């Protein structure tokens, strides 16, 4: 009964304290949390699932994040950069199949000049498409220029809000700077997305509860939450990966805390569990990000294993698979740009 009261409080007031979150995260049978999240999702953002066409335009990265296959010191992967023309080709394809948001993602690749990125953004905006960037930590000035060029949204996961764990996993980076970036983006008027990796070595339920409190505190507009999947040729290659149930609990609790935001069922969730997208959509998610890049490059964007099968058209995150899947769940495909509808 205590649990029922907690869930009801969350469902009506969208607020809860950290200890209570830990209790819910630890629940053996989370079905009531999932059902509450599904109701709140339906009430605030409806049955539409927004598609965000993802283009992974460079896998060069100067960072050394312990979990990520694209980390700079990983010399075993072939690096690529797409030409601006190639990027725009993919964008045009996305536009032709009705996508209204393009996500440009890359490693932290210093090669692309901000002016080059601005030109690409301006071209995309001419097609009446929203632009989301996911290109890492930049200066305030760079974020401002990209915004001026027309960028609408920015994704930068905090990964973990536990400072000690953050510093362990991100040598040479700083937690303070990551938060600074998020604050800048908000200040500049971007829709801001953040999120965490679930199942990092040393991560506890208390830390995950703290992540949720952080998302609520900064009033994130979007939250990308997925399981950590160990990747070969990284320092964490022999660690255990994240657990799907805990990811689903994090999605559901995010929806209950921030009822009107955009929450993707992430690719990592779908890679970890064949039914990952469907489970995510039933636990509060209302966004999926199909990959609309070029097949020969998709294979090389190896954040974690299993992302791209030998035949990329069989990938879980192909546009065709995703459209079918959404309709099979009696959900609809969003037709507009899918901004956060603040209530
Ligand atoms: N497993 C799951 N997700 C990962 N990411 C990076 N490496 C991994 C991994 N091994 C996620 C990070 C990053 C996003 C682009 O990809 O959270 O923010």
């Amino acid at each position: 009964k205590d649990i029922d009261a907690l869930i009801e409080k969350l469902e009506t007031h969208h607020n809860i304290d950290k200890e209570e979150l830990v209790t819910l995260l630890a629940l053996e049978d989370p079905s009531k949390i999932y059902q509450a999240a599904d109701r709140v999702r339906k009430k605030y953002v409806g049955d539409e699932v927004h598609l965000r066409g993802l283009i992974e335009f460079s896998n060069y990265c100067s960072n050394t994040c312990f979990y990520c296959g694209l980390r700079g010191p990983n010399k075993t992967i072939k690096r690529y950069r797409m030409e601006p023309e190639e990027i725009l080709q993919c964008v045009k394809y996305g536009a032709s199949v009705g996508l209204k948001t393009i996500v440009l993602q890359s490693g932290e690749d210093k090669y692309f000049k901000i002016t080059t990125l601005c030109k690409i953004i301006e071209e995309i905006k001419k097609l009446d498409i929203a632009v989301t960037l996911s290109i890492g930590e930049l200066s305030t000035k760079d974020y401002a220029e990209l915004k001026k060029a027309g960028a609408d949204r920015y994704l930068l996961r905090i990964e973990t809000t536990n400072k000690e764990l953050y510093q362990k996993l991100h040598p040479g980076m700083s937690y303070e700077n990551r938060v600074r970036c998020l604050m800048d983006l908000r200040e500049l008027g971007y829709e801001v997305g953040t999120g965490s990796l679930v199942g990092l070595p040393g991560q506890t339920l208390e830390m995950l509860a703290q992540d949720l409190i952080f998302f609520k505190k900064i009033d994130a507009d979007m939250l990308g939450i997925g399981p950590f999947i160990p990747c070969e040729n990284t320092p964490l290659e022999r660690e255990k990966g994240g657990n799907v149930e805990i990811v689903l609990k994090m999605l559901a609790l995010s929806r209950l805390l921030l009822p009107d935001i955009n929450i993707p069922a992430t690719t990592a969730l779908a890679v970890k569990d064949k039914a990952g997208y469907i489970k995510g959509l039933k636990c509060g998610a209302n966004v999926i990000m199909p990959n609309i890049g070029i097949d020969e490059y998709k294979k090389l964007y190896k954040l974690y294993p299993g992302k791209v099968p030998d035949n990329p058209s069989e990938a879980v995150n192909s546009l065709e698979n995703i459209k079918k899947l959404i309709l099979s769940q009696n959900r609809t495909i969003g037709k507009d740009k899918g901004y956060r509808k603040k209530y």
Side-chain angles (χ1 to χ4, degrees):
K1 291 139 264 98
D2 281 1
I3 298 294
D4 291 354
L6 270 188
I7 295 173
E8 197 189 313
K9 180 171 88 169
L10 247 183
E11 188 171 349
T12 43
H13 301 293
H14 314 297
N15 234 316
I16 189 169
D17 63 38
K18 188 172 152 189
E19 288 65 42
E20 295 169 328
L21 277 175
V22 175
T23 306
L24 294 181
L25 282 170
L27 265 195
E28 216 162 287
D29 177 7
S31 50
K32 283 183 176 162
I33 309 178
Y34 297 168
Q35 287 156 15
D38 199 46
R39 285 193 295 272
V40 167
R41 185 270 308 157
K42 196 174 172 74
K43 177 169 166 199
Y44 285 86
V45 296
D47 284 335
E48 280 188 337
V49 178
H50 299 287
L51 299 179
R52 318 296 198 192
L54 176 66
I55 303 172
E56 300 158 331
F57 68 91
S58 162
N59 71 348
Y60 281 83
C61 192
S62 51
N63 282 338
T64 60
C65 310
F66 271 22
Y67 43 79
C68 184
L70 300 188
R71 62 199 310 271
N74 185 1
K75 302 294 181 226
T76 68
I77 59 167
K78 194 173 149 206
R79 305 282 171 170
Y80 73 89
R81 290 184 181 107
M82 286 169 68
E83 294 293 334
E85 293 70 37
E86 289 178 304
I87 299 173
L88 291 171
Q89 276 305 314
C90 294
V91 172
K92 281 184 193 133
Y93 165 75
S96 76
V97 294
L99 296 179
K100 285 291 183 188
T101 294
I102 296 293
V103 182
L104 298 179
Q105 186 176 87
S106 69
E108 293 207 4
D109 183 1
K110 306 282 178 283
Y111 173 87
F112 285 90
K113 293 204 186 67
I114 293 299
T115 49
T116 310
L117 293 172
C118 285
K119 279 192 202 123
I120 295 170
I121 294 166
E122 282 158 12
E123 287 303 313
I124 301 176
K125 295 294 288 188
K126 286 182 194 161
L127 302 172
D128 188 34
I129 283 177
V131 174
T132 303
L133 300 176
S134 178
I135 57 178
E137 297 180 21
L138 296 171
S139 68
T140 311
K141 183 167 165 279
D142 288 350
Y143 285 145
E145 280 174 30
L146 295 164
K147 186 76 186 54
K148 218 173 116 205
D152 301 279
R153 313 187 182 116
Y154 206 102
L155 308 177
L156 186 74
R157 291 185 180 174
I158 193 73
E159 316 291 0
T160 173
T161 57
N162 184 274
K163 246 179 92 167
E164 215 179 307
L165 182 59
Y166 186 91
Q167 297 300 356
K168 249 191 233 166
L169 299 176
H170 306 95
M173 294 168 70
S174 100
Y175 182 78
E176 283 74 20
N177 194 53
R178 205 148 183 96
V179 174
R180 188 273 303 162
C181 289
L182 291 169
M183 295 305 130
D184 277 356
L185 291 163
R186 152 101 334 137
E187 196 72 21
L188 287 163
Y190 284 90
E191 278 201 334
V192 178
T194 188
S196 20
L197 277 171
V198 172
L200 291 166
Q203 192 179 43
T204 64
L205 294 185
E206 282 75 17
M207 293 178 196
L208 290 172
Q210 193 56 52
D211 290 355
L212 291 166
I213 304 267
F214 175 81
F215 303 154
K216 175 85 180 173
K217 192 183 92 192
I218 72 165
D219 190 32
D221 300 303
M222 305 169 280
L223 282 178
I225 298 169
F228 156 59
I229 302 175
C231 184
E232 63 275 22
N233 306 115
T234 68
L236 303 185
E237 64 186 344
R238 308 212 180 286
E239 298 291 335
K240 223 172 114 227
N243 168 286
V244 168
E245 282 286 321
I246 303 187
V247 173
L248 295 174
K249 285 179 188 169
M250 287 291 285
L251 292 181
L253 292 170
S254 296
R255 173 61 66 200
L256 290 166
L257 283 167
L258 292 153
D260 59 359
I261 68 169
N262 286 318
I263 302 179
T266 54
T267 310
L269 182 60
V271 167
K272 178 91 190 182
D273 182 329
K274 270 205 199 81
Y277 280 140
I278 294 175
K279 290 181 181 176
L281 289 179
K282 288 180 171 168
C283 290
N286 71 322
V287 170
I288 299 186
M289 297 165 66
N291 191 324
I292 58 161
I294 295 172
D295 285 349
E296 68 170 300
Y297 298 137
K298 285 179 188 172
K299 292 198 271 277
L300 303 175
Y301 203 82
K302 256 190 124 185
L303 303 166
Y304 47 80
K307 244 181 111 244
V308 186
D310 293 333
N311 178 358
S313 69
E314 288 164 17
V316 286
N317 64 347
S318 77
L319 184 60
E320 279 321 299
N321 288 342
I322 289 170
K323 281 188 172 168
K324 268 189 243 152
L325 182 142
I326 293 169
L327 300 177
S328 79
Q329 297 306 299
N330 291 316
R331 301 276 283 272
T332 60
I333 294 169
K335 291 195 169 55
D336 61 9
K337 297 194 181 78
Y339 285 97
R340 178 182 185 181
K341 299 178 186 70
K342 286 209 179 179
Y343 77 96

